[in-house]
Amino acid sequence: MNNTNILVPTDFTKVADCAVDHAINLASLLNGQIVLLHVIEKENEEHEAKLKLEGLTKQIFEKYKIEVDYILRVGNIFDDIGAVAKEIDAKLIIMGTHGAKGMQKLFGSYAIKVITNSEVPFVVVQQRPIAAHGYKKILLPIEATRETKHKIQQTIYIARYFNSQILLIGPKSSDETFVRNLRNNMAFTEASLKEEGIPYSVHYAETKNFTREIMDLAITENADLIAIVNEQKSSFFSPTEEQDIIANEAQIPVLCVNPANVTIAGGILGS
Protein backbone atom coordinates (compact mmCIF):
# COMPACT_ATOMS: atom_id res chain seq x y z
CA MET A 1 0.00 0.00 0.00
CA ASN A 2 0.91 3.67 -0.29
CA ASN A 3 3.43 4.98 2.23
CA THR A 4 0.93 7.62 3.36
CA ASN A 5 -2.19 5.68 4.21
CA ILE A 6 -4.98 7.63 5.86
CA LEU A 7 -7.53 5.38 7.55
CA VAL A 8 -11.14 6.58 7.70
CA PRO A 9 -13.63 4.50 9.71
CA THR A 10 -17.10 4.99 8.25
CA ASP A 11 -20.64 4.06 9.19
CA PHE A 12 -21.99 5.96 6.15
CA THR A 13 -23.44 8.79 8.28
CA LYS A 14 -23.04 12.52 7.60
CA VAL A 15 -20.33 12.87 10.22
CA ALA A 16 -18.41 9.98 8.64
CA ASP A 17 -18.76 11.69 5.26
CA CYS A 18 -17.21 14.78 6.83
CA ALA A 19 -14.26 12.68 7.98
CA VAL A 20 -13.87 11.46 4.39
CA ASP A 21 -13.76 15.10 3.20
CA HIS A 22 -10.96 15.87 5.67
CA ALA A 23 -9.07 12.80 4.46
CA ILE A 24 -9.48 13.85 0.84
CA ASN A 25 -7.94 17.24 1.64
CA LEU A 26 -4.95 15.65 3.35
CA ALA A 27 -4.49 12.92 0.77
CA SER A 28 -4.47 15.53 -1.99
CA LEU A 29 -1.64 17.41 -0.28
CA LEU A 30 0.38 14.31 0.52
CA ASN A 31 -0.27 12.29 -2.61
CA GLY A 32 -1.58 9.71 -0.17
CA GLN A 33 -4.13 6.93 -0.23
CA ILE A 34 -7.40 6.77 1.69
CA VAL A 35 -8.43 3.44 3.20
CA LEU A 36 -12.08 3.24 4.27
CA LEU A 37 -12.94 0.90 7.12
CA HIS A 38 -16.39 -0.36 7.99
CA VAL A 39 -16.91 -2.69 10.96
CA ILE A 40 -19.98 -4.91 11.12
CA GLU A 41 -21.20 -7.06 13.98
CA LYS A 42 -22.59 -9.98 11.97
CA GLU A 43 -21.53 -11.68 8.76
CA ASN A 44 -25.03 -11.41 7.28
CA GLU A 45 -24.48 -7.63 7.07
CA GLU A 46 -21.48 -8.11 4.79
CA HIS A 47 -23.18 -7.95 1.36
CA GLU A 48 -24.95 -4.64 1.93
CA ALA A 49 -21.89 -3.07 3.57
CA LYS A 50 -19.64 -4.16 0.70
CA LEU A 51 -21.94 -2.54 -1.85
CA LYS A 52 -21.86 0.72 0.10
CA LEU A 53 -18.08 0.66 0.41
CA GLU A 54 -17.62 -0.06 -3.29
CA GLY A 55 -19.96 2.78 -4.19
CA LEU A 56 -18.21 5.27 -1.90
CA THR A 57 -14.77 4.20 -3.08
CA LYS A 58 -15.76 4.66 -6.73
CA GLN A 59 -17.34 8.02 -6.02
CA ILE A 60 -14.22 9.40 -4.31
CA PHE A 61 -11.87 8.18 -7.01
CA GLU A 62 -13.97 9.47 -9.90
CA LYS A 63 -14.45 12.90 -8.34
CA TYR A 64 -11.01 13.53 -6.82
CA LYS A 65 -8.68 11.05 -8.60
CA ILE A 66 -7.34 9.94 -5.22
CA GLU A 67 -6.37 6.32 -4.62
CA VAL A 68 -8.98 4.67 -2.39
CA ASP A 69 -9.21 1.21 -0.92
CA TYR A 70 -11.57 -0.30 1.62
CA ILE A 71 -11.56 -2.90 4.35
CA LEU A 72 -14.62 -4.64 5.76
CA ARG A 73 -14.31 -6.31 9.16
CA VAL A 74 -16.58 -8.34 11.41
CA GLY A 75 -15.86 -7.23 14.95
CA ASN A 76 -16.07 -4.02 17.00
CA ILE A 77 -14.72 -0.50 16.50
CA PHE A 78 -12.80 -0.45 19.77
CA ASP A 79 -10.45 -3.23 18.71
CA ASP A 80 -10.55 -3.15 14.92
CA ILE A 81 -9.82 0.51 14.14
CA GLY A 82 -6.47 0.44 15.91
CA ALA A 83 -5.65 -3.05 14.64
CA VAL A 84 -6.37 -2.18 11.00
CA ALA A 85 -4.40 1.05 11.27
CA LYS A 86 -1.39 -0.94 12.42
CA GLU A 87 -1.84 -3.57 9.70
CA ILE A 88 -1.82 -1.04 6.86
CA ASP A 89 0.81 1.19 8.50
CA ALA A 90 -1.58 4.14 8.55
CA LYS A 91 0.02 7.47 9.37
CA LEU A 92 -3.23 9.01 10.53
CA ILE A 93 -6.80 8.04 11.36
CA ILE A 94 -9.57 10.52 10.61
CA MET A 95 -12.72 9.64 12.49
CA GLY A 96 -16.11 11.30 12.83
CA THR A 97 -17.83 11.65 16.17
CA HIS A 98 -21.17 13.10 17.17
CA GLY A 99 -21.66 16.32 19.10
CA ALA A 100 -21.93 17.00 22.81
CA LYS A 101 -25.67 17.51 23.16
CA GLY A 102 -27.97 15.06 24.94
CA MET A 103 -27.34 11.37 24.44
CA GLN A 104 -24.91 12.10 21.63
CA LYS A 105 -22.37 13.15 24.26
CA LEU A 106 -21.75 9.45 24.82
CA PHE A 107 -19.99 9.32 21.48
CA GLY A 108 -17.27 11.58 22.87
CA SER A 109 -16.33 8.97 25.48
CA TYR A 110 -16.53 6.23 22.82
CA ALA A 111 -14.09 8.23 20.72
CA ILE A 112 -11.61 8.39 23.60
CA LYS A 113 -11.81 4.61 24.07
CA VAL A 114 -11.14 4.02 20.37
CA ILE A 115 -8.24 6.49 20.39
CA THR A 116 -6.66 4.91 23.46
CA ASN A 117 -6.62 1.52 21.72
CA SER A 118 -4.62 2.82 18.77
CA GLU A 119 -0.93 3.38 18.14
CA VAL A 120 -1.77 5.86 15.37
CA PRO A 121 -2.71 9.54 15.92
CA PHE A 122 -6.31 10.59 15.26
CA VAL A 123 -8.00 13.63 13.86
CA VAL A 124 -11.52 13.56 15.28
CA VAL A 125 -14.10 15.61 13.37
CA GLN A 126 -17.78 16.41 13.65
CA GLN A 127 -20.02 17.78 10.90
CA ARG A 128 -18.12 21.03 10.41
CA PRO A 129 -16.68 20.93 6.88
CA ILE A 130 -12.94 21.30 6.46
CA ALA A 131 -12.04 24.84 5.40
CA ALA A 132 -10.75 25.37 1.87
CA HIS A 133 -7.37 26.33 3.35
CA GLY A 134 -7.22 23.22 5.54
CA TYR A 135 -5.72 23.50 9.03
CA LYS A 136 -4.34 27.03 8.73
CA LYS A 137 -4.58 27.84 12.44
CA ILE A 138 -3.73 25.13 14.96
CA LEU A 139 -4.28 25.60 18.68
CA LEU A 140 -1.67 23.74 20.72
CA PRO A 141 -2.26 23.63 24.50
CA ILE A 142 1.04 23.29 26.37
CA GLU A 143 1.00 21.49 29.72
CA ALA A 144 3.59 20.98 32.45
CA THR A 145 3.89 17.24 31.82
CA ARG A 146 6.63 15.43 29.94
CA GLU A 147 4.03 13.86 27.63
CA THR A 148 3.00 17.22 26.16
CA LYS A 149 6.16 17.21 24.03
CA HIS A 150 4.87 14.19 22.11
CA LYS A 151 2.22 16.23 20.32
CA ILE A 152 4.55 19.09 19.38
CA GLN A 153 6.35 17.27 16.57
CA GLN A 154 3.09 15.82 15.29
CA THR A 155 1.61 19.32 15.11
CA ILE A 156 4.70 20.66 13.36
CA TYR A 157 4.36 18.09 10.58
CA ILE A 158 0.77 19.09 9.90
CA ALA A 159 1.73 22.77 10.09
CA ARG A 160 4.36 22.26 7.41
CA TYR A 161 1.84 21.02 4.86
CA PHE A 162 -0.76 23.70 5.53
CA ASN A 163 1.67 26.58 6.22
CA SER A 164 -0.11 26.89 9.53
CA GLN A 165 0.13 29.37 12.35
CA ILE A 166 0.36 27.79 15.81
CA LEU A 167 -1.52 29.26 18.77
CA LEU A 168 0.17 28.17 22.02
CA ILE A 169 -1.75 28.34 25.29
CA GLY A 170 -0.65 27.38 28.79
CA PRO A 171 -2.79 26.81 31.89
CA LYS A 172 -2.83 28.99 34.99
CA SER A 173 -1.35 27.63 38.21
CA SER A 174 0.09 28.93 41.47
CA ASP A 175 2.26 25.85 42.00
CA GLU A 176 5.91 26.82 41.52
CA THR A 177 7.06 23.43 40.23
CA PHE A 178 4.15 23.29 37.79
CA VAL A 179 4.88 26.80 36.52
CA ARG A 180 8.59 26.02 36.10
CA ASN A 181 7.86 22.84 34.11
CA LEU A 182 5.27 24.67 32.03
CA ARG A 183 7.72 27.46 31.17
CA ASN A 184 10.34 24.87 30.19
CA ASN A 185 7.88 23.09 27.90
CA MET A 186 6.78 26.40 26.41
CA ALA A 187 10.41 27.39 25.75
CA PHE A 188 11.06 23.97 24.15
CA THR A 189 8.00 24.41 21.92
CA GLU A 190 8.94 27.93 20.88
CA ALA A 191 12.47 26.82 20.01
CA SER A 192 11.10 23.95 17.91
CA LEU A 193 8.74 26.25 16.02
CA LYS A 194 11.44 28.86 15.42
CA GLU A 195 13.75 26.16 14.05
CA GLU A 196 11.04 25.09 11.60
CA GLY A 197 10.16 28.67 10.67
CA ILE A 198 6.54 28.21 11.77
CA PRO A 199 4.77 31.39 12.95
CA TYR A 200 3.22 31.23 16.40
CA SER A 201 1.76 33.27 19.23
CA VAL A 202 1.83 32.58 22.99
CA HIS A 203 -1.18 32.86 25.29
CA TYR A 204 -1.72 32.02 28.97
CA ALA A 205 -5.01 31.22 30.62
CA GLU A 206 -6.34 33.90 32.95
CA THR A 207 -8.49 31.49 34.95
CA LYS A 208 -8.06 27.89 36.11
CA ASN A 209 -10.75 26.65 33.73
CA PHE A 210 -8.21 25.63 31.09
CA THR A 211 -10.68 23.74 28.91
CA ARG A 212 -12.98 26.74 28.67
CA GLU A 213 -10.09 29.07 27.86
CA ILE A 214 -8.83 26.71 25.16
CA MET A 215 -12.22 26.74 23.49
CA ASP A 216 -12.65 30.51 23.89
CA LEU A 217 -9.28 31.11 22.22
CA ALA A 218 -10.03 28.57 19.49
CA ILE A 219 -13.32 30.30 18.68
CA THR A 220 -11.93 33.84 18.91
CA GLU A 221 -8.98 33.01 16.66
CA ASN A 222 -11.00 30.82 14.26
CA ALA A 223 -8.76 27.82 14.86
CA ASP A 224 -9.05 24.97 12.36
CA LEU A 225 -7.55 22.26 14.61
CA ILE A 226 -6.86 21.66 18.31
CA ALA A 227 -4.01 19.31 19.31
CA ILE A 228 -4.18 17.34 22.57
CA VAL A 229 -2.43 14.41 24.22
CA ASN A 230 -4.66 11.47 25.13
CA GLU A 231 -2.98 10.47 28.39
CA GLN A 232 -5.38 10.24 31.31
CA LYS A 233 -2.83 9.48 34.01
CA SER A 234 -0.58 12.48 33.37
CA SER A 235 -2.69 14.90 31.36
CA PHE A 236 -3.83 18.23 32.76
CA PHE A 237 -7.26 17.29 31.42
CA SER A 238 -9.70 15.00 33.19
CA PRO A 239 -11.52 12.38 31.09
CA THR A 240 -14.60 14.62 31.04
CA GLU A 241 -12.59 17.66 29.92
CA GLU A 242 -10.88 15.68 27.18
CA GLN A 243 -14.27 14.44 26.04
CA ASP A 244 -15.59 18.02 26.01
CA ILE A 245 -12.71 19.15 23.78
CA ILE A 246 -13.15 16.24 21.36
CA ALA A 247 -16.92 16.81 21.15
CA ASN A 248 -16.71 20.62 21.36
CA GLU A 249 -19.79 22.60 20.39
CA ALA A 250 -17.83 24.69 17.88
CA GLN A 251 -17.12 21.40 16.05
CA ILE A 252 -13.42 22.22 15.64
CA PRO A 253 -11.45 19.09 14.66
CA VAL A 254 -9.12 17.67 17.31
CA LEU A 255 -5.74 15.99 16.78
CA CYS A 256 -5.26 13.30 19.46
CA VAL A 257 -1.87 11.73 20.14
CA ASN A 258 -1.16 8.77 22.44
CA PRO A 259 2.32 9.57 23.82
CA ALA A 260 3.04 6.05 25.01
CA ASN A 261 2.67 4.62 21.52
CA VAL A 262 3.60 7.29 18.99
CA THR A 263 7.21 7.70 17.94
CA ILE A 264 8.07 11.38 17.69
CA ALA A 265 10.97 11.06 15.26
CA GLY A 266 8.90 10.12 12.25
CA GLY A 267 5.98 12.40 12.89
CA ILE A 268 2.52 11.65 11.65
CA LEU A 269 3.36 12.09 8.05
CA GLY A 270 7.01 11.15 7.98
CA SER A 271 10.01 13.43 7.86
Side-chain angles (χ1 to χ4, degrees):
M1 285 191 172
N2 193 290
N3 289 333
T4 308
N5 286 320
I6 300 172
L7 182 65
V8 185
T10 180
D11 58 1
F12 311 111
T13 59
K14 288 184 179 180
V15 72
D17 290 343
C18 186
V20 170
D21 290 340
H22 281 253
I24 288 168
N25 193 301
L26 273 173
S28 297
L29 276 176
L30 305 171
N31 192 29
Q33 173 174 275
I34 295 172
V35 180
L36 303 173
L37 169 66
H38 183 64
V39 180
I40 56 177
E41 294 182 355
K42 301 174 182 178
E43 290 186 1
N44 61 10
E45 301 170 358
E46 185 173 349
H47 179 69
E48 181 180 355
K50 187 175 181 180
L51 289 177
K52 289 181 178 179
L53 284 168
E54 289 175 346
L56 183 55
T57 299
K58 182 179 179 181
Q59 177 184 332
I60 294 169
F61 179 76
E62 290 182 348
K63 186 172 182 179
Y64 299 100
K65 306 306 178 189
I66 292 171
E67 292 298 323
V68 188
D69 199 355
Y70 73 82
I71 294 173
L72 180 61
R73 282 285 169 89
V74 178
N76 67 82
I77 61 171
F78 303 114
D79 297 326
D80 288 312
I81 292 177
V84 170
K86 189 173 183 179
E87 287 172 19
I88 67 171
D89 192 26
K91 302 302 181 185
L92 190 65
I93 301 168
I94 303 185
M95 182 176 72
T97 188
H98 295 278
K101 293 183 179 180
M103 290 299 291
Q104 287 187 332
K105 190 165 185 176
L106 290 171
F107 285 89
S109 60
Y110 289 168
I112 291 173
K113 185 175 178 181
V114 173
I115 292 163
T116 304
N117 285 347
S118 173
E119 297 181 6
V120 179
F122 275 74
V123 171
V124 183
V125 307
Q126 298 184 55
Q127 289 191 42
R128 172 174 166 169
I130 186 169
H133 56 246
Y135 306 133
K136 204 69 174 179
K137 279 190 178 181
I138 304 175
L139 194 155
L140 179 59
I142 300 299
E143 304 162 53
T145 63
R146 185 173 54 183
E147 286 76 16
T148 199
K149 293 181 180 179
H150 287 254
K151 65 183 173 184
I152 294 169
Q153 199 65 28
Q154 312 300 333
T155 306
I156 284 174
Y157 281 107
I158 286 183
R160 281 179 181 170
Y161 287 99
F162 288 103
N163 295 316
S164 308
Q165 174 189 354
I166 306 293
L167 310 170
L168 304 175
I169 182 170
K172 182 177 182 177
S173 176
S174 56
D175 182 271
E176 291 184 5
T177 301
F178 182 97
V179 171
R180 182 173 63 251
N181 291 339
L182 175 63
R183 297 287 180 179
N184 288 340
N185 282 349
M186 190 68 80
F188 174 85
T189 305
E190 289 190 64
S192 299
L193 295 175
K194 286 176 182 177
E195 184 178 351
E196 296 290 341
I198 295 172
Y200 68 92
S201 59
V202 179
H203 309 261
Y204 284 96
E206 297 180 359
T207 71
K208 290 190 175 181
N209 190 341
F210 193 35
T211 301
R212 181 69 266 165
E213 297 231 10
I214 287 170
M215 293 313 308
D216 286 347
L217 181 62
I219 292 168
T220 300
E221 294 289 338
N222 295 315
D224 301 301
L225 186 69
I226 302 170
I228 66 172
V229 172
N230 176 48
E231 181 65 31
Q232 296 302 328
K233 292 182 180 178
S234 58
S235 176
F236 191 86
F237 305 113
S238 69
T240 301
E241 289 170 324
E242 186 172 333
Q243 174 182 316
D244 287 344
I245 292 175
I246 288 174
N248 67 84
E249 293 185 5
Q251 298 196 9
I252 299 170
V254 179
L255 168 66
C256 303
V257 177
N258 287 319
N261 297 325
V262 177
T263 301
I264 294 179
I268 293 173
L269 307 173
S271 56

